[in-house]
Amino acid sequence: METTPKVTKLGGSLSVPSVQELAKQSLPEVPARYIRNDEDPGTSSVIDQTVPVIDLQNLLSPEPIIQELELEKLDSACKEWGFFQVVNHGVDICLVEKVKSEIESFFNLPMDEKKKFWQEEGDLQGFGQAFVQSEDQKLDWADIFVLTTLPRHMRNPRLFPKLPLPLRLILCLFRFQGIWLRFDICFCTTLHNITVLLGNCN
């Protein structure tokens, strides 16, 4: 008997109105929950900083000094920021633009269609907002759509099959290229760690 694997959840969020729908209402003023005072922490401290950029070609360079410098940048980005931008990754720019276009088309679907993807209680994946924990919490003036595609055990099975076919296909292509990108980064860092270990053995 085949059992359905339990989906790993990344957190949850209270349901809030769609910002796109609020914007269509021609409100006389922005609702108070979306107005942030200058004193709000967390918004001004990173404005002057630049997101770390990792050059995959440097990471895979045959020149040890170039590779080492890029690995240090990657290490710092992971420890200090938790994320980074990858350039020279080899993913076709046409594919990246097509992904953007299909996601934009998804956000332009009528609300009745997007409601099929609404976040369910206790699950971050879906259409809505992220990490809304109280009725008094300040909100972002944006809607989001969270969809985990890999690893498969974290994918929400109610969402992916319902996506419009063009978006689903382009995400599969993008995911496939992303697997190779992750392989390159993992291979490079693993090779570096082995080299460091071997160097320490001498």
Side-chain angles (χ1 to χ4, degrees):
M1 185 170 144
E2 192 173 314
T3 59
T4 305
K6 186 175 179 350
V7 176
T8 303
K9 295 191 178 181
L10 301 172
S13 189
L14 295 176
S15 182
V16 295
S18 163
V19 170
Q20 285 179 308
E21 295 303 303
L22 287 174
K24 290 178 186 175
Q25 295 176 14
S26 300
L27 300 170
E29 59 186 37
V30 176
R33 285 188 79 181
Y34 297 94
I35 298 173
R36 295 180 181 266
N37 299 327
D38 289 338
E39 300 89 42
D40 278 343
T43 55
S44 59
S45 60
V46 293
I47 289 175
D48 297 333
Q49 298 180 19
T50 304
V51 172
V53 177
I54 304 302
D55 187 321
L56 189 58
Q57 294 304 314
N58 288 346
L59 204 56
L60 299 172
S61 173
E63 298 293 326
I65 190 70
I66 293 172
Q67 187 183 58
E68 185 65 35
L69 289 171
E70 206 64 27
L71 277 167
E72 287 174 13
K73 283 174 54 179
L74 176 61
D75 182 61
S76 174
C78 292
K79 289 177 180 173
E80 302 297 322
W81 282 76
F83 60 93
F84 49 87
Q85 177 185 359
V86 178
V87 296
N88 295 325
H89 44 64
V91 177
D92 187 337
I93 191 66
C94 292
L95 178 60
V96 172
E97 291 304 318
K98 185 67 176 159
V99 169
K100 288 180 187 178
S101 171
E102 290 300 333
I103 290 171
E104 187 175 320
S105 296
F106 174 81
F107 273 89
N108 288 331
L109 288 172
M111 183 49 71
D112 288 344
E113 284 295 307
K114 285 188 285 205
K115 281 185 180 178
K116 296 176 187 174
F117 302 95
W118 207 259
Q119 291 168 328
E120 292 182 344
E121 187 175 334
D123 193 3
L124 186 62
Q125 291 191 64
F127 185 78
Q129 283 211 18
F131 307 112
V132 179
Q133 302 298 318
S134 78
E135 298 296 333
D136 302 324
Q137 182 177 336
K138 293 290 185 181
L139 302 174
D140 293 325
W141 188 253
D143 293 325
I144 66 165
F145 181 62
V146 177
L147 178 68
T148 301
T149 58
L150 288 174
R152 290 184 74 94
H153 71 277
M154 293 183 72
R155 184 187 302 171
N156 186 322
R158 103 181 151 81
L159 297 174
F160 198 80
K162 293 180 186 174
L163 289 174
L165 184 59
L167 176 57
R168 203 170 41 208
L169 291 174
I170 205 69
L171 286 176
C172 285
L173 285 171
F174 192 73
R175 189 177 67 216
F176 179 74
Q177 286 207 358
I179 289 169
W180 286 109
L181 175 61
R182 282 194 302 276
F183 174 77
D184 285 345
I185 292 173
C186 289
F187 175 75
C188 183
T189 53
T190 302
L191 191 61
H192 173 262
N193 290 337
I194 290 169
T195 304
V196 169
L197 285 172
L198 291 175
N200 290 337
C201 291
N202 293 334

